[in-house]
């Protein structure tokens, strides 16, 4: 299948999911081949544009998993493999049968000096050689200057121009250690967009300062038309930009066009959490258990009358659920709704008695469930 190489859509943003590559690089996450295939199928169902299936040269298991994912979903979506800027890594991607490759090499002084032990000239030569080699084998090439956001800007732009001259189809700007702010990242991506012409620019943001989602949407605002994300934001250190957060911010706040079926976000999040063994944070935006939770009486009253009073998006839109909780901040409207959902109807006087009992228990540190409220109400009715 031939995938769009360089066309830029005015309002269309592509989602490249790297849960199975960058997400799996987090300590403690090791998916089996079967689990990777299961997640890949879910990502296709969700509607992602590109799946980064793995790093074929990193291990035999990753090579096998990448091949298997390609066999399973390669006719439904673009599958891409990661490679360092060397012939051996590129050959492994070719051997795996992929038609798209993500080539990277660092361009920051600290990486070139201490990790690569290469000069600027050597890095530029390696970029040209590796991209040219991949293109000579008919691959669609996405090139990443690793640690782009800590690179000398002039050298970074020279590296990008070198990759384009060698035939790169897309340019990705990684904020490898998450040091950008939305303002500085916007400015950088804008400069890159001006350099690459009609090529698609991607952004790949890490969350070391909690800014991965904000930086990703700033990059899109600056002209990037593809975003690298992971489900639940899993990844090395503080993780990657969260798929669910980036998607909903782009769709609802910035009105971009995406292929994602948003009502499958919660389902996808739960699957990755289950298979990775990494719980979804309780207060996680979009997919957390409390993302649509309400306890305070004023809030619950508003939500019962019109959910839009305290919910900027509906839980159904992302496949999540509204949860009305009980505690010391609860009000009569929320209690009434919770009890009526269980078939118990009380007048206002009895509701106030039940509410007083609930608040008394909550203030002593007890967690109050809907079933607890039901039992208190039944006890009152029986007495």
């Amino acid at each position: 299948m031939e995938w769009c190489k360089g066309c830029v859509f005015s309002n269309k943003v592509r989602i490249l999911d790297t849960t199975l590559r960058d997400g799996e690089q987090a300590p403690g996450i090791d998916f089996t081949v079967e689990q990777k295939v299961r997640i890949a199928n879910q990502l296709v169902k969700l509607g992602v544009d590109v799946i980064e299936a793995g790093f074929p040269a990193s291990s035999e298991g990753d090579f096998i998993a990448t091949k298997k994912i390609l066999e399973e979903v390669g006719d439904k979506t673009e599958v891409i493999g990661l490679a360092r800027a060397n012939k051996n890594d590129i050959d492994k991607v070719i051997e795996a049968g992929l038609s798209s490759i993500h080539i990277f090499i660092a361009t920051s002084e600290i990486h070139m000096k201490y990790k690569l032990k290469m000069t600027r000239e050597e890095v530029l030569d390696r970029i040209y050689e590796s991209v040219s080699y991949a293109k000579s084998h008919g691959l669609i090439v996405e090139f990443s200057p690793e640690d782009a956001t800590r690179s000398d800007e002039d050298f970074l732009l020279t590296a990008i121009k070198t990759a384009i001259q060698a035939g790169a189809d897309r340019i990705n700007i990684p904020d490898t250690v998450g040091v950008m702010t939305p303002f500085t990242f916007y400015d950088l991506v804008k400069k890159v967009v001006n350099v690459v012409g009609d090529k698609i620019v991607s952004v790949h943001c890490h969350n070391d300062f909690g800014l991965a989602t904000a930086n990703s949407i700033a990059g899109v605002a600056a002209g990037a038309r593809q975003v690298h994300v992971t489900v639940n934001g899993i990844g090395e250190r503080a993780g990657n930009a969260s798929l669910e957060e980036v998607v909903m911010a782009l769709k609802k706040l910035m009105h971009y066009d995406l292929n994602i079926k948003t009502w499958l976000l919660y389902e996808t999040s739960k699957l990755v959490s289950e298979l990775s063994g990494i719980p979804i944070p309780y207060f996680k935006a979009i997919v957390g258990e409390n993302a649509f939770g309400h306890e305070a009486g004023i809030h619950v009253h508003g939500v019962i009358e019109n959910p839009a009073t305290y919910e900027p998006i509906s839980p159904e839109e992302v496949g999540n659920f509204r949860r009305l909780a009980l505690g010391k901040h609860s009000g009569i409207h929320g209690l009434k709704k919770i009890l009526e959902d269980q078939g118990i109807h009380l007048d206002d006087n009895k509701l106030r008695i039940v509410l007083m009992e609930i608040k008394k228990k909550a203030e002593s540190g007890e967690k109050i469930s809907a079933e607890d409220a039901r039992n208190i109400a039944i006890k009152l009715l029986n007495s």
Side-chain angles (χ1 to χ4, degrees):
M1 187 177 291
E2 182 71 14
W3 303 102
C4 173
K5 295 181 180 181
C7 46
V8 177
F9 305 92
S10 60
N11 202 44
K12 186 79 172 180
V13 176
R14 291 158 51 95
I15 296 297
L16 183 152
D17 184 275
T18 184
T19 301
L20 300 175
R21 198 277 299 173
D22 209 350
E24 194 189 26
Q25 286 178 197
I29 299 180
D30 293 292
F31 296 120
T32 66
V33 173
E34 293 74 20
Q35 287 174 330
K36 278 195 157 194
V37 170
R38 189 175 169 193
I39 292 170
N41 277 307
Q42 180 66 26
L43 292 172
V44 170
K45 182 179 170 186
L46 180 65
V48 303
D49 300 277
V50 190
I51 295 173
E52 189 164 46
F55 188 172
S58 66
S59 71
E60 186 62 21
D62 231 32
F63 176 79
I64 292 168
T66 302
K67 275 192 76 171
K68 186 67 176 172
I69 289 167
L70 180 66
E71 292 167 6
E72 286 277 335
V73 304
D75 61 336
K76 301 168 189 170
T77 194
E78 180 180 352
V79 179
I80 197 167
L82 186 70
R84 290 164 295 191
N86 66 59
K87 185 175 180 294
N88 178 66
D89 279 22
I90 296 167
D91 285 342
K92 274 292 185 182
V93 171
I94 295 168
E95 189 182 340
L98 297 171
S99 59
S100 295
I101 189 169
H102 179 195
I103 296 174
F104 74 97
I105 190 170
T107 53
S108 67
E109 292 297 330
I110 190 169
H111 275 245
M112 290 189 290
K113 180 178 179 180
Y114 292 101
K115 186 181 76 171
L116 299 178
K117 303 189 187 310
M118 295 170 68
T119 66
R120 289 186 174 192
E121 291 70 26
E122 287 171 331
V123 168
L124 293 176
D125 288 343
R126 184 70 67 82
I127 291 170
Y128 193 87
E129 291 165 5
S130 59
V131 173
S132 297
Y133 182 72
K135 289 304 297 179
S136 72
H137 286 79
L139 296 176
I140 294 170
V141 177
E142 180 155 341
F143 171 71
S144 283
E146 186 188 7
D147 207 19
T149 55
R150 293 194 297 177
S151 300
D152 173 77
E153 192 174 284
D154 288 339
F155 179 64
L156 172 66
L157 296 178
T158 299
I160 289 167
K161 290 173 185 175
T162 301
I164 291 171
Q165 289 165 6
D169 301 291
R170 303 192 292 254
I171 300 296
N172 177 52
I173 303 301
D175 186 18
T176 301
V177 291
V179 295
M180 286 281 101
T181 68
F183 315 104
T184 54
F185 199 53
Y186 177 94
D187 291 342
L188 177 62
V189 173
K190 195 76 174 174
K191 290 173 184 174
V192 173
V193 168
N194 289 336
V195 163
V196 305
D198 64 351
K199 308 289 185 184
I200 285 179
V201 173
S202 298
V203 290
H204 178 114
C205 298
H206 282 264
N207 205 39
D208 297 75
F209 286 87
L211 292 169
T213 294
N215 287 334
S216 295
I217 63 175
V220 172
R225 284 299 174 266
Q226 181 170 272
V227 186
H228 291 204
V229 294
T230 61
V231 177
N232 297 334
I234 64 172
E236 298 180 77
R237 304 183 314 280
N240 290 57
S242 162
L243 181 151
E244 48 282 354
E245 293 174 14
V246 169
V247 163
M248 293 311 294
L250 290 176
K251 177 182 170 68
K252 298 296 288 189
L253 302 181
M254 301 176 74
H255 311 294
Y256 283 98
D257 183 20
L258 299 93
N259 289 328
I260 300 298
K261 300 174 182 68
T262 60
W263 58 91
L264 297 175
L265 286 171
Y266 182 72
E267 174 185 306
T268 304
S269 169
K270 295 287 279 186
L271 175 66
V272 171
S273 176
E274 174 194 335
L275 297 183
S276 66
I278 306 297
I280 303 164
Y282 183 68
F283 292 106
K284 178 79 166 64
I286 313 300
V287 293
E289 290 300 301
N290 198 60
F292 299 94
H294 309 277
E295 178 192 313
I298 295 171
H299 284 224
V300 173
H301 185 196
V303 166
I304 290 172
E305 294 297 320
N306 184 337
T309 52
Y310 288 101
E311 291 177 352
I313 54 177
S314 71
E316 294 81 10
E317 190 171 359
V318 297
N320 206 334
F321 306 92
R322 182 174 298 112
R323 297 165 180 86
L324 301 183
L326 292 167
K328 65 180 182 180
H329 303 106
S330 294
I332 196 169
H333 296 91
L335 175 61
K336 182 178 182 181
K337 176 74 166 60
I338 287 169
L339 289 176
E340 287 182 351
D341 286 346
Q342 299 179 87
I344 297 175
H345 300 268
L346 301 179
D347 60 37
D348 285 356
N349 286 333
K350 288 188 173 66
L351 282 169
R352 288 190 181 92
I353 295 170
V354 173
L355 185 61
M356 285 177 60
E357 181 66 19
I358 286 171
K359 290 192 173 195
K360 182 179 176 182
K361 288 178 178 293
E363 285 169 354
S364 68
E366 286 189 47
K367 300 295 182 187
I368 310 298
S369 67
E371 186 178 354
D372 293 330
R374 180 176 180 275
N375 290 338
I376 294 169
I378 289 173
K379 184 177 179 181
L380 174 66
L381 290 170
N382 290 337
S383 64

